[in-house]
Amino acid sequence: MTRETTCCFTGHRPDKLPWGSREEDPRCRDLKGRIGAALEAAYGRGYRHFICGMARGCDFYFGEAVVALRRERPDVTLEAAIPCESQADRWRAEDRRRYHALLDQCDLETVVQQRYTNWCMQRRDRYMVDRSGLLIAAYDGSTSGGTLYTLVYALRQGVETEVLDVGGGPICGSDQGKEKRT
């Protein structure tokens, strides 16, 4: 796994998505389709290893899309970047089941630190970006939060970014270290 063949992902949790947890919403289905298309395009460009932060919402969509891609492309690998061992402990039972089902499909699990701290999520985000040549972000344009933090960190590190507008816009490509939205 090299940086040139590794892609990571960032995106919003359900409370920041226009559809919340209602994944049957057409906007959610559309985003999932665009995530799948972005992964297929990344694969076409040589990306084979994908890192998922394992948060509820868009991270789940991304991880599940990588698992689907792997069914067609067996050389794809999925890594779970877990911010701390207790990440899912306080989630609803159905979210914990989904988390563990996705974790069972991962080829590699990296626990960034053992215990929760105020900064463990950002440390996980830096871990993913520092190992990736491409960041795919499902982003709503908000001016705060972990998705913005990760996107800005990737841009500062010169990592290529692709932004998927959670409002239903097209996939946006970028030059290395620069982000472009249309």
Side-chain angles (χ1 to χ4, degrees):
M1 298 170 279
T2 66
R3 189 172 193 155
E4 294 77 28
T5 62
T6 300
C7 170
C8 67
F9 181 83
T10 189
H12 299 300
R13 291 181 179 93
D15 60 312
K16 286 191 82 174
L17 296 169
W19 54 85
S21 295
R22 297 178 312 278
E23 292 185 41
E24 70 283 356
D25 186 289
R27 297 167 294 178
C28 182
R29 288 196 313 263
D30 176 68
L31 177 61
K32 287 180 178 184
R34 289 184 289 125
I35 289 171
L39 289 174
E40 190 66 51
Y43 183 89
R45 294 178 48 213
Y47 292 94
R48 299 296 184 268
H49 184 67
F50 297 87
I51 307 174
C52 177
M54 300 299 293
R56 295 178 314 109
C58 291
D59 280 7
F60 282 176
Y61 309 163
F62 175 80
E64 291 163 354
V66 171
V67 170
L69 178 66
R70 187 174 56 202
R71 284 189 213 104
E72 302 295 321
R73 315 267 192 214
D75 56 339
V76 164
T77 57
L78 177 60
E79 177 180 354
I82 301 166
C84 62
E85 289 180 344
S86 61
Q87 179 178 17
D89 287 358
R90 294 185 177 189
W91 294 353
R92 296 178 308 168
E94 65 189 67
D95 290 330
R96 284 194 313 274
R97 280 192 295 276
R98 190 173 183 182
Y99 171 87
H100 289 291
L102 182 55
L103 201 54
D104 287 345
Q105 295 293 315
C106 290
D107 301 288
L108 179 63
E109 296 174 26
T110 301
V111 178
V112 177
Q113 65 185 52
Q114 300 303 309
R115 295 188 184 142
Y116 175 84
T117 65
N118 290 339
W119 300 105
C120 66
M121 304 300 174
Q122 289 83 2
R123 189 172 179 204
R124 181 259 333 260
D125 297 339
R126 288 191 312 268
Y127 168 85
M128 295 188 307
V129 169
D130 289 346
R131 284 153 183 78
S132 298
L134 174 64
L135 168 73
I136 299 172
Y139 178 60
D140 67 359
S142 60
T143 59
S144 65
T147 301
L148 176 63
Y149 170 86
T150 307
L151 184 56
V152 168
Y153 182 75
L155 291 168
R156 287 183 178 154
Q157 298 306 309
V159 173
E160 182 180 356
T161 63
E162 293 185 25
V163 176
L164 308 177
D165 186 341
V166 297
I171 298 172
C172 306
S174 73
D175 296 321
Q176 182 174 348
K178 298 179 183 172
E179 179 254 346
K180 179 174 66 175
R181 293 175 62 125
T182 57

